[in-house]
């Protein structure tokens, strides 16, 4: 039900047909704090079997109880049939709307992102949207308190409507993306779920311990500009770490890069350090750093060059032989900072 529909319903139920017609034609008589909108909100949330005669006399008490019920229901999650909550949902993307909230001349609302997506045409009535702001709905949203969307994952805090989105972008309970590199995996979940997923679905190598010794092999390395080797996961100090190894172009130079990511948040990752070492023939490269959280994508870490970078010619020198095949051995260690 749109704000336009709610207004017409209220006008009919209260017997004020002439004012209802005027409101329906304009679609804009909803200034923040106006008595018209208060009656619209009241009518939308009242039970349909209330006697119309009581609606007028109980208007003030019903508005008060409506606001109270919204606040209380927020603590346990607002149900999908709550009228105000439904009005705040964009009919196109189904997400909650944030200012600027737009409306067409007939009162249909949608978010600013979808306004661009539908080419400024109302998806409900196909009228030109123009640049009409639904200030009344924005004002109502300001008074709401809602639970975090990750409530079922453990976050039980309540937030004002306009700060809820910012919190959710950094909520410690939000799920992690699968850290697997080499394919676009859309799986999300907590750490135990992702560890099981990496083992069962991606068949990655799983190791226990804080030291490692890995050999990366590639035939015809001169023909490969971009490549990703199989992810390796280490269980160290009761936490999980992902070892990445990739070939890519750094500017015009072909390079290899090894780096470690931590399966957890950044504040936890900073409690650990690691080192990577590669070398042969009396020469050695050593990298020491802090593992990056898997909140940062492997591409982001790679592009920031936060790891051991080896020029291809040097990598082939370390590989020995005729330098026609990559046989690079990388050793490493993970430790906990005091």
């Amino acid at each position: 039900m749109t704000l336009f529909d709610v207004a017409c319903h209220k006008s009919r139920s209260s017997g004020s047909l002439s004012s209802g017609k005027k409101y329906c034609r304009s679609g804009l008589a909803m200034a923040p704090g106006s008595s018209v909108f208060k009656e619209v909100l009241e009518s939308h949330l009242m039970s349909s079997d209330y006697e119309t005669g009581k609606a007028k006399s109980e208007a003030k008490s019903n508005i008060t109880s409506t606001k109270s019920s919204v606040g209380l229901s927020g603590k346990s999650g607002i149900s999908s049939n709550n009228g105000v909550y439904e009005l705040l949902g964009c009919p196109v993307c189904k997400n909650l709307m944030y200012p600027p909230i737009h409306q067409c001349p007939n009162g249909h609302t949608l978010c600013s992102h979808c306004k661009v997506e539908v080419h400024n045409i109302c998806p409900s009535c196909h009228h030109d949207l123009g640049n009409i702001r639904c200030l009344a709905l924005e004002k109502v949203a300001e008074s709401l308190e809602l639970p975090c969307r990750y409530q079922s994952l453990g976050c039980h805090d309540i937030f004002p409507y306009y700060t809820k989105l910012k919190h959710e972008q950094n909520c410690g309970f939000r799920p992690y993306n699968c850290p697997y590199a080499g394919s676009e995996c859309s799986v999300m979940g907590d750490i135990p779920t992702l560890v099981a997923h990496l083992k069962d679905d991606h068949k990655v190598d799983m190791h226990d311990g804080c030291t490692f010794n890995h050999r990366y092999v590639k035939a015809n390395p001169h023909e490969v500009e971009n490549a990703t080797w199989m992810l390796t996961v280490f269980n160290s100090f009761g936490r999980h770490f992902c070892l990445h190894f990739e070939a890519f172009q750094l500017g015009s130079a072909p390079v290899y890069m090894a780096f470690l990511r931590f399966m957890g948040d950044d504040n936890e990752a900073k409690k650990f350090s690691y080192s990577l070492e590669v070398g042969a023939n009396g020469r050695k490269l050593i990298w020491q750093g802090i593992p990056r959280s898997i909140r940062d994508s492997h591409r982001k870490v790679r592009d920031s060059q936060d790891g051991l970078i080896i020029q291809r010619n040097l990598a082939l020198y370390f590989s020995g032989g005729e330098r026609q095949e990559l046989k690079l051995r990388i050793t490493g260690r993970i430790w906990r900072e005091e």
Side-chain angles (χ1 to χ4, degrees), residues 24-276:
C24 297
R25 285 197 299 270
S26 68
L28 301 175
M30 297 186 300
S34 67
S35 59
V36 173
F37 185 78
K38 289 180 180 178
E39 292 185 0
V40 170
L41 176 60
E42 171 199 339
S43 175
H44 190 60
L45 296 181
M46 284 184 351
S47 174
S48 59
D49 61 351
Y50 273 23
E51 295 180 7
T52 56
K54 290 184 178 181
K56 285 282 187 176
S57 61
E58 296 178 357
K60 184 175 180 180
S61 61
N62 280 331
I63 293 173
T64 303
S65 62
T66 295
K67 185 173 181 180
S68 175
S69 66
V70 169
L72 290 173
S73 62
K75 294 180 181 179
S76 58
I78 294 181
S79 61
S80 61
N81 61 0
N82 182 290
V84 176
Y85 197 66
E86 286 184 346
L87 285 175
L88 289 168
C90 175
V92 179
C93 66
K94 309 303 180 184
N95 294 323
L96 291 176
M97 296 185 289
Y98 294 88
I101 299 175
H102 298 277
Q103 70 172 18
C104 76
N106 288 327
H108 302 119
T109 57
L110 79 166
C111 70
S112 57
H113 174 76
C114 290
K115 181 176 183 287
V116 176
E117 294 295 318
V118 299
H119 305 292
N120 211 39
I121 300 297
C122 176
S124 300
C125 66
H126 307 294
H127 274 66
D128 188 358
L129 285 168
N131 291 299
I132 307 172
R133 287 274 295 275
C134 189
L135 299 177
L137 193 55
E138 292 178 10
K139 192 70 175 179
V140 169
E142 189 177 351
S143 68
L144 298 179
E145 291 187 340
L146 302 175
C148 174
R149 67 182 298 182
Y150 304 119
Q151 184 183 49
S152 62
L153 298 178
C155 183
H156 300 297
D157 293 331
I158 305 296
F159 300 92
Y161 186 85
Y162 289 140
T163 62
K164 174 177 176 287
L165 183 63
K166 183 177 180 180
H167 159 78
E168 290 172 348
Q169 291 172 345
N170 298 285
C171 178
F173 292 93
R174 71 191 189 279
Y176 297 89
N177 293 312
C178 173
Y180 188 79
S183 65
E184 295 298 327
C185 182
S186 60
V187 171
M188 301 177 69
D190 57 16
I191 299 303
T193 298
L194 291 183
V195 170
H197 164 67
L198 289 170
K199 180 180 180 181
D200 298 337
D201 299 328
H202 293 298
K203 310 299 181 184
V204 305
D205 292 332
M206 297 278 184
H207 298 277
D208 293 328
C210 56
T211 61
F212 49 89
N213 187 330
H214 274 261
R215 193 182 189 202
Y216 296 95
V217 178
K218 190 72 175 178
N220 303 317
H222 293 283
E223 299 176 6
V224 178
E225 301 296 343
N226 293 279
T228 300
W229 276 256
M230 176 65 75
L231 184 71
T232 305
V233 176
F234 298 96
N235 181 1
S236 303
F237 304 101
R239 311 304 295 267
H240 291 86
F241 301 81
C242 301
L243 177 62
H244 296 262
F245 187 73
E246 300 188 20
F248 64 100
Q249 292 283 127
L250 186 57
S252 60
V255 300
Y256 298 98
M257 180 175 175
F259 56 92
L260 205 67
R261 286 200 295 162
F262 174 76
M263 296 188 70
D265 282 333
D266 186 62
N267 59 334
E268 289 292 319
K270 292 177 180 177
K271 298 177 181 179
F272 299 91
S273 293
Y274 75 102
S275 65
L276 298 174

